[in-house]
Amino acid sequence: MTGKLQGPLERAPAGLAGLLNGPRAGVTSGVGCSPETWRLGQLKWSLNGTLIDLRPDRRRRLSGGNLVIRSLDRAQDAGIYQCTAFGPLGAIVSRRASLQFAYLNFRTQARSAVSVREGQGVVLLCDLSFAWVFNEYPYFVQQDSRRFVSQETGNLYIAKVEPSDVGNYTCVVVNRITKGKALSSPTPLVLRTDGAMGEYEPKIEVHFPDTVPAAKGSVVTLECFALGNPVPEITWRRANGVPFPSKVKMKNSNVVLEIPSFQQEDAGGYECVAENKMGKNTVRGRLSFHAKPQWVQTMRDSALSIEERLFWECKANGKPKPSYSWLKNGEQLVAEIENGALTIAPVNLSDAGMYQCVAENKHGIIYFSAELVVLASPPDFSRSSLRPMLKAKAGSAVSMVCRPLAYPAAVSSWRKGNEPLQSTERISLLPDGTLRLINVTKADGGSYTCLARNRFGTASTTGRLLVTDPTRITQGPVDMEIIVGESIVLPCQIACDPALDASFSWAFNGQLLTKLEPHFFNETQSAPGDLMIRNIQLRHAGKYVCVVDTDVESLSAAAILIVKGPPGPPDGVTVEEITDSTAQLSWRPGQDNGSPTVSYIIQTKTPFTVGWQAVNTVPEVIDGNTLTATVVDLNAWVEYEFRVLARNSVGVGEPSPASLKSRTEDAAEVAPAHVCLFNIAIVLCLLLQPVPEELQNGDGFGYIIALRAVSELSWTHAVTSAPGRYVYRNDSIAPFSPFHVKVGAYNAKGQGPFSTVATVFSAEEGERMPGGLWARSISALEFEVGWQMISDSPERILGYEVAYWEDDTKPETMGKVRVSAGQYTVNISGLKGNTQYSLTVSAFNTAGTDVRLMGHLINILHSAPGQSPLNVEWNLIGSKLTMHWDPVVTMEMESEVTGYQVSLWIL
């Protein structure tokens, strides 16, 4: 036998819970009432409303709040248990717990035989039933569409008896709690000898009641079984025609309908239909929904002043609708209660304690507890005294709050010095004790006292009011425009009462500026409110607000700063169309950065150029509203990239990304630029300056050389594909004979024009070199070179060539400068500072350069300082500008600083 006790405490203490088994000897069980969330002084238990006296009882005892019962006895221990928790704040009770005992009584007297016809239906009765044994244990009857054991009635139903059913049937009863088991005496089933049963329509023997109550969340089981020949088929449906949800299960050949987790929407009419070929029969019933109470609104602990009004309301859901009652310290409360709401007005000290709202219907009961504290004390200013010094600007409004801790609330009065204050046009005494003064003047300054009293005592607090002159911003920031890279000062200067402390802060576009931003400075002692912005960038454009905070007010002044800079890079440069000498381009504009774009510049780059080069365009000047242009004068058969730069009043911006590479179409060849002579005796050697690949205009490139003596009319022609050198030999050529020479070029497209005719002389050779080479350094980037000129000679001297380089390991650093024959000095610039250079000088004529004068070295001076001054600060007051900066420390390879240059210009 088993007993079960339920019913935990609501909120605090934690709860009752337990499961009692009995009445077997020596069994011990317990129920819990643990004070987990409320400091308790004592716990007591009651049974059926009567307090349990544990002192003389050896079977029952408390263990940590739990009630432990040994040697359970059905007569003494069955009933309703409840725990009451007592503490310094009052008492509360737990939910009720029911302890019941399970038992099994089953009569096993002999049973008479049941005689049936074959094909007839039969019912074998069992008062308490779970299973049936066929002939001998443990061969249980197997349930199918023809045989069914009802868990409601315990009976065995056979819809249509067959010869195989003949035998002895024993009912087996099992107690689910105690697991006890009992068997009935066998019931013989025999066939009658007067013939088989004919076919007949279904007769429903097992069906559910007309109304079945079902609890929320429970598992509902409905049974329906019919006798008949042939065996009837069972089907189910809802009376409203709504299909069953997926959770509904059909068991035992549709005889059992199971609805797990029963909810409100499952309630309603249900029908069972039993049908065979002889007819059908239907039973109907209704499932009604019920639920124990659940809280939807509860109260909170309250602390009220004596004489105030208490209103607590609790609400619960449940079906049927729950009723409400209230407990105070575990006892039924007689008070004004309406729909679960408790009202006590006015509260007294005796009303303090622990309260519980109880919601109950026939399916359950729930509790919720809260504490009521009633306060009573004289006024106390220890936590709400007046400020010792209150500052206010003249013309403003002042409020002085007088709210002492007092129960009941105190009545307040005010005085200035020793004079009581009364309400006037400027003075207001508010009901909550606050003193309010409007349009204050310096005459309102002085000492103010608030006096508070209630029936338990009096108290006072005193403070002083100081009225100051208003603060003014005498010079604030103004709207302005500025160029990227410049520096400015935004002023913020005030006139302030000496009794006030003022602080300054700046906001930029709504965000407070901090010292972490390297461009902003506002720590100048002479003007602490001014904001200096150094090296302004585009991102610094926006709204600047100077905020001045004093003890009594806050002021602000704002200005809009417009920053102008070179335009942003254009985008999307596209080659729309290209020929052998032109390209049609388009692009999208970039940001104008505060100044409208006035023009665009187009640049190109090829594999044969160093860097980007400016090009000619149509139109020649591309205005800022034009986004297309034609590039002209391009070389044929060359791969080009294009980019676009924008210009505004500030300057030229960053270039656009380069376009995709595009190759111009091929074209006929141009003429070579230069022809030089280098010959000895009867050999005429022509040095041809190679035509750059970008000017070859196509594939299949070569040269056509035409030459003749000056006295002749006909030309001698030769063709070569090798650039740079052509040798013409003729034994009849006399030294210093003049010749006319011209060169043309050709490619797969055709032959181009010849160059201009050049006159050269045969057998012209240089044999002498200049002397007296010297050099001196002028600056870190320049030196001067001189030499002695060559005296008269039969060769024609056209001029002198100076070659220079850093050292022999860097041949790419060599530079050359040529001067005319009458010049014997030259300045060479664009050099590297603090570097040693080697020099040579040679004479040249039409045959080329002569032997070089070698071996002179020169050292270039140290370079100028490469670092500009840092931390430049300046302050403009009136017409006086003061500047400060950090001195420049030169590097090892730089010249010493000898001075600084300050530039000033007017915008």
Side-chain angles (χ1 to χ4, degrees):
M1 181 181 295
T2 301
K4 188 174 183 181
L5 180 60
Q6 305 177 39
L9 276 169
E10 302 288 341
R11 284 188 76 215
L16 286 173
L19 179 65
L20 305 183
N21 297 323
R24 297 188 300 272
V27 171
T28 301
S29 293
V31 292
C33 185
S34 177
E36 294 180 357
T37 61
W38 192 42
R39 292 175 298 175
L40 304 174
Q42 189 178 12
L43 295 173
K44 294 184 179 181
W45 286 85
S46 62
L47 172 60
N48 297 327
T50 302
L51 190 65
I52 299 175
D53 187 0
L54 299 176
R55 289 174 296 179
D57 197 333
R58 294 184 178 180
R59 291 190 313 109
R60 294 179 288 197
R61 63 182 177 86
L62 285 179
S63 175
N66 298 327
L67 176 61
V68 180
I69 307 174
R70 300 178 59 187
S71 301
L72 289 169
D73 180 83
R74 179 180 177 185
Q76 298 183 60
D77 299 324
I80 303 300
Y81 288 80
Q82 195 167 27
C83 172
T84 304
F86 297 88
L89 305 177
I92 56 175
V93 298
S94 71
R95 284 189 301 179
R96 299 164 187 163
S98 175
L99 176 58
Q100 300 174 346
F101 287 78
Y103 60 92
L104 176 62
N105 291 330
F106 189 67
R107 297 189 302 272
T108 59
Q109 66 270 23
R111 298 190 175 205
S112 58
V114 177
S115 179
V116 295
R117 294 178 179 178
E118 179 183 352
Q120 181 181 356
V122 69
V123 179
L124 301 182
L125 303 182
C126 183
D127 296 336
L128 287 174
S129 172
F130 285 94
W132 282 81
V133 172
F134 179 51
N135 286 332
E136 61 183 44
Y137 188 83
Y139 297 103
F140 291 93
V141 174
Q142 299 300 312
Q143 301 184 63
D144 52 25
S145 61
R146 196 171 59 85
R147 292 171 294 192
F148 173 61
V149 177
S150 172
Q151 299 303 309
E152 297 292 334
T153 66
N155 299 333
L156 169 61
Y157 299 84
I158 303 177
K160 174 188 173 185
V161 174
E162 296 178 354
S164 60
D165 297 323
V166 174
N168 294 319
Y169 290 83
T170 302
C171 176
V172 180
V173 181
V174 179
N175 189 309
R176 292 191 181 95
I177 304 299
T178 65
K179 307 303 180 183
K181 179 171 61 177
L183 279 69
S184 69
S185 58
T187 300
L189 179 64
V190 298
L191 286 181
R192 292 169 54 177
T193 59
D194 54 352
M197 184 73 175
E199 294 180 340
Y200 61 97
E201 68 178 13
K203 177 184 178 184
I204 297 178
E205 289 288 338
V206 181
H207 60 82
F208 48 94
D210 293 340
T211 301
V212 179
K216 178 181 179 182
S218 64
V219 178
V220 177
T221 300
L222 302 180
E223 295 180 345
C224 181
F225 189 80
L227 309 181
N229 187 7
V231 176
E233 180 181 352
I234 305 297
T235 58
W236 294 84
R237 65 190 178 199
R238 295 194 65 171
N240 58 10
V242 176
F244 290 118
S246 59
K247 69 177 181 179
V248 174
K249 301 175 182 178
M250 306 290 182
K251 297 182 177 181
N252 297 347
S253 301
N254 289 355
V255 174
V256 177
L257 173 70
E258 183 179 281
I259 307 174
S261 185
F262 187 80
Q263 301 297 323
Q264 177 75 55
E265 58 269 19
D266 298 321
Y270 286 76
E271 296 180 355
C272 170
V273 179
E275 184 175 7
N276 64 13
K277 70 178 183 179
M278 302 304 297
K280 67 178 179 180
N281 204 346
T282 303
V283 293
R284 298 175 178 85
R286 175 170 295 276
L287 295 180
S288 62
F289 177 82
H290 71 262
K292 64 181 180 180
Q294 288 185 327
W295 291 119
V296 295
Q297 178 179 335
T298 56
M299 65 282 192
R300 295 182 178 180
D301 295 338
S302 296
L304 298 180
S305 172
I306 190 172
E307 299 178 358
E308 285 188 326
R309 178 176 179 269
L310 171 68
F311 179 80
W312 270 338
E313 185 175 20
C314 57
K315 293 181 180 179
N317 285 336
K319 190 169 183 181
K321 183 178 180 181
S323 60
Y324 301 93
S325 60
W326 286 81
L327 304 177
K328 178 188 176 185
N329 295 330
E331 301 293 334
Q332 193 73 29
L333 183 65
V334 179
E336 182 181 344
I337 300 173
E338 183 177 356
N339 295 327
L342 171 65
T343 303
I344 302 177
V347 297
N348 294 310
L349 292 175
S350 60
D351 294 319
M354 294 299 301
Y355 288 77
Q356 288 179 281
C357 179
V358 184
E360 182 178 10
N361 63 15
K362 65 181 180 179
H363 303 294
I365 181 171
I366 55 177
Y367 298 78
F368 195 87
S369 59
E371 174 191 356
L372 173 61
V373 176
V374 179
L375 305 171
S377 67
D380 180 10
F381 284 105
S382 60
R383 297 185 180 180
S384 59
S385 60
L386 292 177
R387 293 168 55 181
M389 176 64 74
L390 176 64
K391 297 178 182 179
K393 71 172 182 177
S396 65
V398 176
S399 293
M400 287 180 273
V401 179
C402 180
R403 293 178 184 171
L405 189 66
Y407 305 101
V411 177
S412 302
S413 61
W414 285 87
R415 65 173 182 262
K416 179 185 177 185
N418 295 321
E419 297 295 325
L421 289 177
Q422 303 295 330
S423 294
T424 65
E425 293 181 355
R426 292 196 312 111
I427 302 175
S428 300
L429 300 177
L430 303 183
D432 64 354
T434 300
L435 171 63
R436 180 171 175 80
L437 308 176
I438 62 173
N439 194 23
V440 296
T441 65
K442 290 202 172 185
D444 292 319
S447 175
Y448 288 80
T449 300
C450 173
L451 180 66
R453 67 166 52 87
N454 67 9
R455 64 178 181 172
F456 297 107
T458 62
S460 64
T461 180
T462 300
R464 187 170 185 82
L465 174 64
L466 175 64
V467 181
T468 63
D469 293 326
T471 303
R472 295 180 297 107
I473 297 180
T474 57
Q475 183 180 5
V478 295
D479 297 346
M480 62 176 62
E481 297 181 355
I482 193 168
I483 304 300
V484 167
E486 296 180 350
S487 300
I488 61 167
V489 172
L490 299 178
C492 187
Q493 301 176 16
I494 63 172
C496 182
D497 192 297
L500 297 177
D501 294 324
S503 63
F504 298 87
S505 60
W506 282 86
F508 170 51
N509 289 338
Q511 298 294 321
L512 187 67
L513 289 178
T514 66
K515 296 180 180 180
L516 299 179
E517 171 59 60
H519 293 267
F520 298 100
F521 299 88
N522 61 339
E523 296 181 352
T524 305
Q525 292 184 355
S526 59
D530 293 355
L531 175 66
M532 174 184 289
I533 311 176
R534 298 175 180 168
N535 189 21
I536 283 183
Q537 302 300 308
L538 291 171
R539 67 177 183 273
H540 297 141
K543 183 178 182 180
Y544 289 82
V545 180
C546 173
V547 180
V548 182
D549 290 305
T550 69
D551 303 333
V552 298
E553 61 183 322
S554 180
L555 302 87
S556 65
I560 301 297
L561 181 62
I562 299 175
V563 180
K564 295 183 177 181
D571 190 24
V573 178
T574 304
V575 179
E576 305 287 353
E577 183 180 354
I578 193 166
T579 67
D580 61 348
S581 62
T582 65
Q584 178 74 34
L585 303 183
S586 66
W587 60 89
R588 295 190 298 271
Q591 298 291 331
D592 62 12
N593 292 337
S595 179
T597 300
V598 297
S599 65
Y600 289 98
I601 302 168
I602 298 178
Q603 295 178 339
T604 66
K605 185 172 71 170
T606 72
F608 314 108
T609 60
V610 178
W612 292 88
Q613 309 292 329
V615 292
N616 297 326
T617 61
V618 176
E620 184 176 354
V621 177
I622 308 170
D623 66 59
N625 296 321
T626 301
L627 300 177
T628 61
T630 300
V631 181
V632 298
D633 301 333
L634 301 177
N635 295 322
W637 201 245
V638 175
E639 195 172 60
Y640 283 90
E641 292 179 88
F642 300 91
R643 70 181 187 183
V644 181
L645 299 88
R647 184 198 305 271
N648 61 12
S649 61
V650 179
V652 178
E654 293 293 322
S656 70
S659 69
L660 297 176
K661 294 180 180 180
S662 300
R663 183 182 289 274
T664 53
E665 298 176 352
D666 57 355
E669 188 50 68
V670 298
H674 300 286
V675 180
C676 299
L677 176 66
F678 178 78
N679 70 37
I680 299 175
I682 61 174
V683 177
L684 183 66
C685 179
L686 300 179
L687 300 178
L688 309 179
Q689 178 174 334
V691 175
E693 186 178 346
E694 66 268 26
L695 300 179
Q696 294 179 7
N697 295 351
D699 296 328
F701 181 81
Y703 298 92
I704 302 173
I705 299 101
L707 56 88
R708 69 182 179 184
V710 172
S711 59
E712 295 179 359
L713 296 178
S714 62
W715 294 86
T716 298
H717 294 83
V719 176
T720 180
S721 60
R725 182 182 180 88
Y726 175 74
V727 178
Y728 173 72
R729 182 181 181 87
N730 190 328
D731 295 340
S732 63
I733 297 176
F736 307 114
S737 298
F739 273 80
H740 288 164
V741 180
K742 61 181 179 180
V743 180
Y746 66 90
N747 62 16
K749 194 81 172 181
Q751 179 181 331
F754 279 97
S755 67
T756 57
V757 176
T759 301
V760 298
F761 294 85
S762 66
E764 187 172 54
E765 179 180 10
E767 295 180 350
R768 303 177 63 186
M769 65 179 180
L773 177 62
W774 58 269
R776 68 183 183 89
S777 178
I778 298 175
S779 70
L781 303 175
E782 185 178 11
F783 62 73
E784 182 184 16
V785 183
W787 58 90
Q788 293 178 1
M789 293 189 296
I790 298 176
S791 58
D792 293 338
S793 64
E795 297 85 6
R796 294 189 311 147
I797 302 299
L798 298 181
Y800 299 93
E801 181 180 89
V802 179
Y804 56 94
W805 62 94
E806 293 183 24
D807 57 61
D808 292 338
T809 64
K810 298 181 180 179
E812 73 277 359
T813 64
M814 176 175 285
K816 295 180 181 180
V817 176
R818 284 189 171 188
V819 297
S820 62
Q823 185 175 342
Y824 56 90
T825 63
V826 65
N827 290 354
I828 298 177
S829 59
L831 306 174
K832 294 183 180 179
N834 195 40
T835 304
Q836 187 179 71
Y837 282 87
S838 300
L839 303 173
T840 65
V841 178
S842 60
F844 68 89
N845 57 19
T846 59
T849 57
D850 206 337
V851 181
R852 301 178 185 272
L853 178 61
M854 303 292 292
H856 195 83
L857 299 176
I858 184 170
N859 291 313
I860 300 300
L861 296 175
H862 288 267
S863 62
Q867 177 67 41
S868 59
L870 299 177
N871 296 326
V872 179
E873 295 185 2
W874 58 278
N875 189 20
L876 179 62
I877 301 178
S879 60
K880 181 181 179 181
L881 177 65
T882 304
M883 300 187 67
H884 302 276
W885 60 85
D886 293 343
V888 174
V889 179
T890 58
M891 304 297 288
E892 181 181 354
M893 300 302 178
E894 297 174 346
S895 301
E896 292 296 326
V897 175
T898 59
Y900 296 91
Q901 177 180 322
V902 179
S903 300
L904 178 67
W905 64 94
I906 300 176
L907 298 178

